[in-house]
Amino acid sequence: MNPVVEKVAEWREQDRQAALATVVKVERSGPLGPGTSMAVSEDGQVVGSVSGGCVEPAVFEEAMGTIETGEPKLLTYGISDDEAFGVGLTCGGIIHIFVEKVDW
Amino acid sequence: MVMGELLARWRAALREQSPVAVATVVEGPQGVVGGKVLVTPEEHVGTLDNRDLDKAVVETARGLLEGGRTETVHFGPRGQRRMEDVAVFIQSFAPPPRMYVFGAIDFASAVARTGKFMGYRVTVCDARPVFATRERFPTADEVVVAWPDEFLKTAEVDRRSVICVLTHDPKFDVPVLKEALKTEAGYIGAMGSRRTHDDRTARLREEGVTEEELSRVASPIGLDIGARTPEETAIAIAAEVIALRTGHSGGRLADRSGPIHAPEAGVREGA
């Protein structure tokens, strides 16, 4: 059993759209390893996480966008004091997260 | 159909705890990104719209799945190795690693619970039917009445397996440890006082166990955190299991500098 896959399958059975966000790469220090995932339903429900809570709000917004457009995205989040990133990780790591609409 | 075949198969494999890998194109030419294939040891579901790329990805995924590894692998547009055009994230969901606990004492109950907590499939084994009961080990996946060494001969053990010998009775300990050393178990620990440890070590040497083999046995078992109760001891053992797997020393983070997590923790065991 995997709570994220279970929940996504349940949403799809109820004909609700969903997006899946998966950590695909972690550089330097990161809280959760590759494969950690979070999913979002079209009505704004969330299951799972992709960091220690630092980037989830941003990933949520991206996931909602992907549900609408269907366009997958590879996101990168880094150190939070770097102005180049709107949100980031306080731990000093960089994580790469792939966001995709569940159409498979 | 609302739920796609790939998602249905993915959920089913995770529920059955059968090995499955999911490969997703995360970088590459437009149209290819987002492509997904589900791979089991026998078959695959989905396509990346290129037969050669499919073949390369499925083969690679099976290799990673065998070791329970999760990685990003790069290919050329038609599945060529040594090219970088297409990045495929391949996530393995291997069945949970196994923990074998020998000696159905109170410590075993606590160790079985922490084992479950960490995601292990836990088996408790003892030769004495009075102790090896379901009631005493409600959280264990399996409670077996058998001679530990006899049981271990037939048990499934791989590099992710944990073997905890808690009987601290040489009659059981020595044969089961000898059997454990024949496996590729990632962790072998044996409980006992310093005295029990010295006695057991001497007996193992007499039985022909080499120094190199002896160095594989965590004995006395557990990290030195001053644990007293079965629960505390179980935590000391669990911490040692993790530290040996990751190659960390087990000291206090406050006492050292440097990153907390190993860079690029490549493996995550899901399911």
Side-chain angles (χ1 to χ4, degrees):
Chain A
M1 293 268 282
N2 173 300
V4 174
V5 175
E6 282 289 326
K7 189 51 91 176
V8 169
E10 188 189 311
W11 288 334
R12 297 297 298 128
E13 275 173 343
Q14 297 161 351
D15 203 10
R16 284 197 270 171
Q17 302 296 330
L20 178 67
T22 308
V23 176
V24 296
K25 193 176 173 193
V26 181
E27 295 173 61
R28 300 211 286 267
S29 192
L32 298 169
T36 312
S37 61
M38 153 181 162
V40 174
S41 69
E42 61 181 322
D43 50 340
Q45 284 193 48
V46 182
V47 59
S49 62
V50 287
S51 74
C54 317
V55 303
E56 275 77 357
V59 173
F60 174 82
E61 293 302 330
E62 296 283 357
M64 291 303 273
T66 294
I67 290 175
E68 260 184 33
T69 63
E71 286 303 312
K73 279 178 238 177
L74 187 59
L75 310 169
T76 299
Y77 297 100
I79 308 158
S80 56
D81 59 6
D82 187 333
E83 297 239 316
F85 300 102
V87 292
L89 300 161
T90 51
C91 58
I94 300 171
I95 54 175
H96 303 267
I97 297 170
F98 187 71
V99 183
E100 61 193 310
K101 184 172 180 177
V102 180
D103 54 7
W104 21 264
Chain B
M1 184 164 49
V2 179
M3 178 162 50
E5 190 193 352
L6 194 150
L7 179 57
R9 292 287 300 272
W10 191 3
R11 178 173 69 174
L14 294 174
R15 283 183 175 177
E16 292 162 10
Q17 299 194 338
S18 57
V20 63
V22 175
T24 308
V25 178
V26 296
E27 276 179 289
Q30 239 197 339
V32 182
V33 175
K36 219 173 186 69
V37 181
L38 176 142
V39 181
T40 73
E42 297 83 29
E43 52 185 343
H44 69 272
V45 176
T47 175
L48 306 176
D49 294 329
N50 179 297
R51 191 192 286 203
D52 296 321
L53 183 59
D54 279 349
K55 190 163 177 281
V57 168
V58 168
E59 261 172 31
T60 305
R62 288 211 174 110
L64 291 174
L65 184 55
E66 219 161 83
R69 287 186 298 153
T70 288
E71 270 175 34
T72 299
V73 186
H74 294 84
F75 300 93
R78 291 192 310 281
Q80 302 96 318
R81 319 280 162 152
R82 294 165 192 269
M83 286 178 75
E84 298 283 309
D85 309 60
V86 183
V88 183
F89 177 68
I90 301 176
Q91 186 174 10
S92 289
F93 298 83
R98 288 165 187 272
M99 173 184 276
Y100 296 101
V101 183
F102 296 103
I105 54 174
D106 281 353
F107 287 95
S109 170
V111 170
R113 270 182 281 148
T114 52
K116 274 310 275 184
F117 187 50
M118 292 194 292
Y120 285 88
R121 185 180 190 283
V122 179
T123 301
V124 177
C125 171
D126 196 302
R128 302 161 297 183
V130 183
F131 294 108
T133 63
R134 244 298 131 219
E135 293 69 48
R136 283 169 56 86
F137 299 98
T139 59
D141 295 281
E142 197 181 22
V143 181
V144 179
V145 180
W147 281 83
D149 57 318
E150 291 297 321
F151 171 73
L152 195 52
K153 271 180 200 158
T154 60
E156 260 182 61
V157 180
D158 61 29
R159 273 175 297 172
R160 298 192 299 150
S161 302
V162 167
I163 298 175
C164 297
V165 178
L166 309 181
T167 40
H168 54 80
D169 175 343
K171 173 166 87 246
F172 297 108
D173 283 6
V174 171
V176 75
L177 283 171
K178 277 178 68 183
E179 211 51 56
L181 286 167
K182 289 181 197 162
T183 69
E184 50 177 7
Y187 179 92
I188 303 170
M191 184 177 260
S193 62
R194 292 277 170 204
R195 199 178 146 153
T196 306
H197 164 79
D198 291 342
D199 175 56
R200 182 169 54 212
T201 307
R203 284 171 191 255
L204 284 165
R205 279 201 188 100
E206 273 169 34
E207 298 257 344
V209 173
T210 66
E211 294 305 311
E212 198 190 334
E213 287 174 317
L214 278 175
S215 70
R216 274 184 72 195
V217 182
S219 173
I221 197 169
L223 288 189
D224 178 17
I225 56 171
R228 278 251 174 235
T229 63
E231 290 75 15
E232 289 175 356
T233 305
I235 288 169
I237 295 171
E240 187 178 44
V241 167
I242 298 166
L244 288 191
R245 192 194 70 217
T246 57
H248 283 231
S249 65
R252 296 185 68 207
L253 287 168
D255 289 341
R256 70 173 181 88
S257 54
I260 293 167
H261 306 284
E264 187 76 334
V267 184
R268 184 179 156 85
E269 284 140 1

